[in-house]
Amino acid sequence: MLGGEVLQSAFHFAFNIVLVHVLTPHDYGVFAIVMLSGGIALTYVRALAGMPATLLIASQRGRRAAAADEVAFGSAALVISVVVGLVAAGFLWRAFGSSAILGSVFLTLWSLRSYLRTVLFAIQCQVQSAISDAIFVVSGIALAVVFFRAGEVTSLDQAFLILALANAAGLAASLIMRRKMRISFGRFARSRYAMMSRQLLWSCTGVTMANVQGQGQVLLIAALAGPAAYAPIAGALVFYAPFRLVSSALANLIQPELVRQASNGSARRMGQLAAVSTASMLVVGLVGGAVVFCALPFINAPVFVGQPKMLIFGLGWAVSVVQLFYLVPRVYLEVLRDFRIITILTASSAVAGIGIVTVLLLTVGPVFSLLGNFVSESVVLVWCWVAVGRADRSSDGHDT
């Protein structure tokens, strides 16, 4: 299961490293903003389609009910992905006047492929998901080699074209290996989706607050300081992108199992699984950080010229590691459908984080503003584990 994410992680990492060297700081800053925006879009696809599909499909006893859920949430995923593409096109055209079409197509296909991967994990088709990931990576590498040899990858359009075609290949592979994605906007599908409307509202609100808390602060830096000033921060965070991808794989891996354990009333087993998974994330964070810092003397991309490279990479690592540590308890709370708690804690930390980031950005510069992001993420970390501890004690008392 993790193999597919490792392949994707390696490809995204290498592709970004190449672009850091061949694009201007402004263009790479724009590319990084679009990639970050795409990551935010994926959180909504997961919250409004992938996550509820997992919660329902993994707990369904009957095949017909699971298929009905696939139709309802697959239709929702299609609508959300198209909306993501339209918003991206408007943003790119309005803000930068270029790359609107290819950038929006890339984000739409990326969103759809992400949803299908989540469903494949939910129905225990991990092999098919890994094959789809491999096809995505092989296609991306082949396209990149063709463009690189021709000396063509020097613009945003060409970079987005490579990613769009690679995602299309991976998406097609998922649809071919798995029964076709059935779409319906009829009354039955709408009512099936509406069954979770209240929880979806809290989930969407929680994701919005989480994005404001986790990514909005970085986008604030890009908005106030400009793409060129944001480029070194984005360039450093690229080296920690594998953390997020591996953590996403872990979330896809453990969430269906947590759902099944919750259905069986095994709170103790859920807590054990959360603890072991978090320990795995600790290893990933420490080993990955050591590798990056060993490679730091050899990282001499143009975007880092004249920048405090050690400080940028250090703060980027600190933020990324904290995000790893609260991923599992957050998934745990989602399985318990405690979206209200998630929303409250992320909203509180977002307000604090944005305030700190703004002050630091205006006083000491973009690099030090990452400290605000670190403080905000730390608040989420602490309160997620506190909420999980309370849920465990409540479950134990109920079982007793």
Side-chain angles (χ1 to χ4, degrees):
M1 297 180 202
L2 294 175
E5 290 290 354
V6 171
L7 284 175
Q8 289 189 96
S9 173
F11 171 71
H12 279 121
F13 176 76
F15 193 68
N16 271 273
I17 294 303
V18 171
L19 292 182
V20 164
H21 289 84
V22 301
L23 294 179
T24 65
H26 176 273
D27 282 352
Y28 182 74
V30 174
F31 178 82
I33 292 171
V34 172
M35 289 295 291
L36 181 60
S37 301
I40 292 174
L42 294 189
T43 64
Y44 284 100
V45 173
R46 179 179 179 274
L48 296 176
M51 181 269 297
T54 299
L55 294 180
L56 291 179
I57 293 173
S59 61
Q60 292 289 2
R61 305 290 183 184
R63 195 170 187 178
R64 180 175 298 181
D69 289 329
E70 283 192 56
V71 172
F73 291 104
S75 304
L78 177 61
V79 172
I80 297 167
S81 299
V82 171
V83 170
V84 165
L86 293 175
V87 171
F91 168 75
L92 286 169
W93 181 256
R94 183 72 176 174
F96 307 111
S98 62
S99 305
I101 295 177
L102 288 175
S104 63
V105 171
F106 155 56
L107 290 182
T108 298
L109 293 173
W110 190 15
S111 299
L112 276 175
R113 193 173 73 85
S114 174
Y115 168 76
L116 279 179
R117 293 185 73 258
T118 302
V119 172
L120 287 173
F121 280 110
I123 61 177
Q124 298 185 340
C125 290
Q126 296 89 351
V127 174
Q128 290 88 332
S129 176
I131 293 173
S132 172
D133 292 337
I135 291 175
F136 160 73
V137 170
V138 171
S139 302
I141 293 174
L143 290 166
V145 168
V146 170
F147 279 105
F148 290 160
R149 283 185 174 180
E152 293 290 338
V153 183
T154 55
S155 72
L156 288 173
D157 280 338
Q158 291 149 345
F160 288 141
L161 177 61
I162 290 174
L163 292 176
L165 292 176
N167 275 284
L171 180 63
S174 296
L175 293 174
I176 291 172
M177 290 184 295
R178 175 74 175 128
R179 60 179 177 270
K180 292 184 179 180
M181 186 175 174
R182 293 171 295 171
I183 304 299
S184 173
F185 299 104
R187 185 176 63 181
F188 180 77
R190 294 198 307 271
S191 62
R192 196 83 181 177
Y193 188 79
M195 286 172 54
M196 292 187 67
S197 58
R198 184 174 180 274
Q199 293 169 328
L200 288 173
L201 178 60
W202 276 111
S203 177
C204 183
T205 305
V207 166
T208 300
M209 292 298 100
N211 285 329
V212 171
Q213 174 265 326
Q215 309 296 345
Q217 298 162 36
V218 180
L219 288 176
L220 182 63
I221 298 172
L224 295 181
Y230 173 64
I233 296 174
L237 293 178
V238 162
F239 287 85
Y240 303 113
F243 289 10
R244 295 193 300 274
L245 291 173
V246 172
S247 66
S248 176
L250 183 65
N252 287 334
L253 171 66
I254 68 171
Q255 189 172 55
E257 181 61 24
L258 285 173
V259 171
R260 280 185 278 273
Q261 295 297 337
S263 299
N264 296 331
S266 181
R268 186 181 301 276
R269 172 59 181 160
M270 291 176 67
Q272 291 173 347
L273 184 58
V276 171
S277 301
T278 301
S280 302
M281 289 295 95
L282 172 61
V283 174
V284 170
L286 293 177
V287 173
V291 171
V292 171
F293 280 101
C294 288
L296 198 56
F298 307 99
I299 301 172
N300 297 307
V303 295
F304 298 121
V305 174
Q307 299 292 332
K309 190 166 62 174
M310 181 65 74
L311 177 62
I312 296 174
F313 275 83
L315 290 175
W317 177 79
V319 171
S320 300
V321 167
V322 173
Q323 290 173 341
L324 286 179
F325 287 170
Y326 71 67
L327 170 86
V328 175
R330 184 184 178 88
V331 171
Y332 186 101
L333 293 173
E334 287 178 349
V335 169
L336 297 179
R337 306 190 186 186
D338 205 346
F339 301 114
R340 182 172 174 271
I341 293 296
I342 296 174
T343 302
I344 292 173
L345 71 90
T346 51
S348 302
S349 62
V351 171
I354 287 179
I356 297 173
V357 166
T358 302
V359 171
L360 293 173
L361 188 62
L362 297 176
T363 55
V364 294
V367 173
F368 290 94
S369 60
L370 283 173
L371 284 170
N373 201 2
F374 173 74
V375 172
S376 179
E377 298 287 5
S378 299
V379 171
V380 175
L381 170 66
V382 171
W383 283 109
C384 270
W385 279 108
V386 169
V388 167
R390 290 175 178 172
D392 279 343
R393 287 192 296 272
S394 176
S395 297
D396 290 341
H398 180 71
D399 292 342
T400 301

